[in-house]
Amino acid sequence: MYLHTLNDELQRQFGCKVYKLALDGGMTCPNRDGTVGTGGCTFCGADGGGAFAAGDGDVAARLAAARARVAAKGPSKFIAYFQSHTNTYAPVPRLRQLFEAAMAPDDVVALSVATRPDCLPADVLDLLAELNRRKPVWVELGLQTIHPATAAAVRRGWELPVFDEAVRALKARGLTVVVHMILGLPGETAAMMYETASYIGRSGADGIKFHLLHVLDDAPLAAD
């Protein structure tokens, strides 16, 4: 059976190998600064999920540092991926400056923005839609699970209808939505994980990213 992979699809769209360049936008998270909570989700380390994200210098310097990590793999194009923390948690002028600078190089074919469903106000959605008319924009939402008890245990900080509304608003503006799910959260059964995956499949999202639970030594979950 032939499996059509994401690698295949990106090569079809852009004509060559495409790598994601992980970037740190220098933001924090409402689950860290006291707006929603402090300390972050229990599975999230101090780097906000961006252990390999380039974060020093201006955006051009960060892109150069990220490119260097894959330079030996041969000619390619790139997706600028703002990975660390919550990458829509800033005023629109700052987001515009960061995102436009990341999209500017000719070898960057798309922008990918990792964020929380509760951090997508209308002005941010409008900015993302505007940028999507220049180059493709993916918005990556950290759902992790649909189960309330698990969400509370990992201190996610928002309820499932917030996710539903975020997907609806993003798709209404023509944006690509990728949803993150963690397999193996404490207390979850195989049936529960199946339910989350099925829910994402029905949500209207364009893609799903499966993460195996990874316990970082500086994350609150490590204490368990």
Side-chain angles (χ1 to χ4, degrees):
M1 182 177 68
Y2 175 70
L3 179 66
H4 184 71
T5 66
L6 178 60
N7 177 55
D8 295 331
E9 180 59 24
L10 292 175
Q11 293 208 42
R12 185 194 68 79
Q13 289 186 35
F14 302 113
C16 68
K17 183 74 175 179
V18 179
Y19 293 101
K20 291 178 85 172
L21 300 180
L23 305 172
D24 185 339
M27 293 173 227
T28 183
C29 174
N31 208 6
R32 290 178 178 272
D33 68 4
T35 302
V36 172
T38 58
C41 298
T42 62
F43 52 79
C44 196
D47 56 27
F52 302 102
D56 295 327
D58 60 17
V59 172
R62 296 177 210 181
L63 284 169
R67 278 192 194 91
R69 291 179 175 159
V70 297
K73 297 183 179 181
S76 54
K77 294 180 181 177
F78 306 101
I79 297 169
Y81 178 34
F82 284 89
Q83 181 180 28
S84 303
H85 298 287
T86 302
N87 292 284
T88 57
Y89 194 50
V92 163
R94 182 182 176 196
L95 297 177
R96 179 182 294 278
Q97 180 183 29
L98 285 170
F99 296 162
E100 287 185 339
M103 296 172 74
D106 290 340
D107 62 356
V108 173
V109 296
L111 172 72
S112 187
V113 179
T115 191
R116 291 166 56 97
D118 60 346
C119 291
L120 289 167
D123 57 348
V124 170
L125 289 166
D126 291 341
L127 171 64
L128 295 171
E130 175 193 330
L131 297 175
N132 190 49
R133 292 191 286 271
R134 305 182 200 177
K135 291 182 180 180
V137 174
W138 301 0
V139 179
E140 304 202 18
L141 299 176
L143 172 64
Q144 321 309 356
T145 180
I146 64 167
H147 300 287
T150 311
V154 300
R155 303 197 310 238
R156 190 180 65 188
W158 49 267
E159 302 299 326
L160 189 57
V162 177
F163 166 80
D164 296 331
E165 174 57 24
V167 174
R168 185 205 64 76
L170 290 163
K171 294 308 301 176
R173 288 169 171 81
L175 293 154
T176 297
V177 179
V178 179
V179 181
H180 291 218
M181 173 186 171
I182 295 178
L183 300 168
L185 287 169
E188 290 215 341
T189 64
M192 293 169 73
M193 288 181 267
Y194 179 86
E195 289 167 359
T196 293
S198 296
Y199 192 95
I200 295 169
R202 298 189 303 270
S203 70
D206 300 281
I208 182 170
K209 183 183 287 186
F210 295 107
H211 298 270
L212 297 179
L213 179 66
H214 184 69
V215 183
L216 301 164
D217 59 11
D218 65 346
L221 186 60
D224 295 338

